[in-house]
């Protein structure tokens, strides 16, 4: 895939993070995502899971800002997002996975209805819909993440898919 095509595909991923649609990614977008997830799963911000989710969201924001916020204004524009992906993540998707991991782990904990450390495809679907993903895409993604077909989606399956989606578009 040439650089221009890669940049176009990464640019399309930008809207996933811009939760309020204002044209840039900020700390508030991560807080909005955390609040939506807590509402969807009936957890409170003051609970242990809620606190972990907000801490994970902040860690994710800090990691992403460190990679992409080139002018230091605490906002990541689409060109900064694309530039960060091209310069810092294209050849190292594991780096993106590591900055996202605290948030993803906390999301799993919030969504894990039976407490077994994994989520069902239906719980993945609920997470995605709470984050604004259209229902048909959320449903398809929930099922496709269960790569071994055991009815459970593990942290490793989620982290790997997340990193691949946001850094290596195919």
């Amino acid at each position: 895939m040439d650089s221009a095509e890669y940049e176009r595909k990464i640019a399309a991923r930008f809207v996933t993070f811009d939760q309020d649609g204002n044209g840039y990614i900020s700390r508030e977008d991560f807080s909005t995502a955390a609040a939506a997830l807590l509402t969807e799963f009936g957890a409170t911000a003051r609970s242990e899971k809620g606190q972990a989710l907000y801490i994970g969201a902040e860690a994710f924001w800090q990691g992403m800002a460190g990679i992409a916020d080139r002018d230091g204004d605490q906002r990541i524009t689409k060109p900064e997002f694309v530039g960060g992906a091209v310069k810092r993540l294209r050849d190292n998707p594991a780096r993106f996975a590591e900055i996202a991991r605290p948030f993803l782990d906390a999301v799993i904990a919030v969504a894990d209805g039976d407490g077994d450390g994994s989520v069902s495809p239906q719980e993945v679907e609920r997470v995605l819909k709470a984050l604004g993903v259209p229902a048909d895409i959320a449903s398809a993604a929930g099922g496709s993440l269960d790569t071994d077909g055991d009815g459970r989606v593990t942290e490793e399956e989620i982290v790997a898919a997340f990193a691949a989606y946001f850094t290596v578009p195919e």
Side-chain angles (χ1 to χ4, degrees), residues 58-100:
E58 177 63 20
F60 194 5
W61 160 248
Q62 289 294 329
M64 187 180 284
I67 288 170
D69 185 16
R70 303 318 317 148
D71 61 9
D73 67 354
Q74 298 295 299
R75 295 178 178 182
I76 300 170
T77 62
K78 188 182 284 188
E80 286 175 322
F81 182 77
V82 171
V86 169
K87 291 178 183 148
R88 293 171 184 82
L89 299 175
R90 184 174 188 179
D91 297 325
N92 188 6
R95 182 170 181 206
F96 190 71
E98 289 311 310
I99 67 168

Side-chain angles (χ1 to χ4, degrees), residues 78-137:
K78 188 182 284 188
E80 286 175 322
F81 182 77
V82 171
V86 169
K87 291 178 183 148
R88 293 171 184 82
L89 299 175
R90 184 174 188 179
D91 297 325
N92 188 6
R95 182 170 181 206
F96 190 71
E98 289 311 310
I99 67 168
R101 189 177 298 273
F103 180 69
L104 296 174
D105 286 344
V107 169
I108 291 167
V110 167
D112 180 9
D114 62 9
D116 69 353
S118 64
V119 290
S120 69
Q122 295 77 21
E123 289 165 331
V124 170
E125 182 178 348
R126 285 178 64 195
V127 165
L128 294 174
K129 288 188 336 192
L131 295 175
V133 174
D136 59 330
I137 295 171

Side-chain angles (χ1 to χ4, degrees), residues 5 7 34 36 38 63 114 122-123 146 154 164:
E5 183 181 357
E7 289 179 24
L38 292 176
D114 62 9
Q122 295 77 21
E123 289 165 331
D146 181 13
T154 66

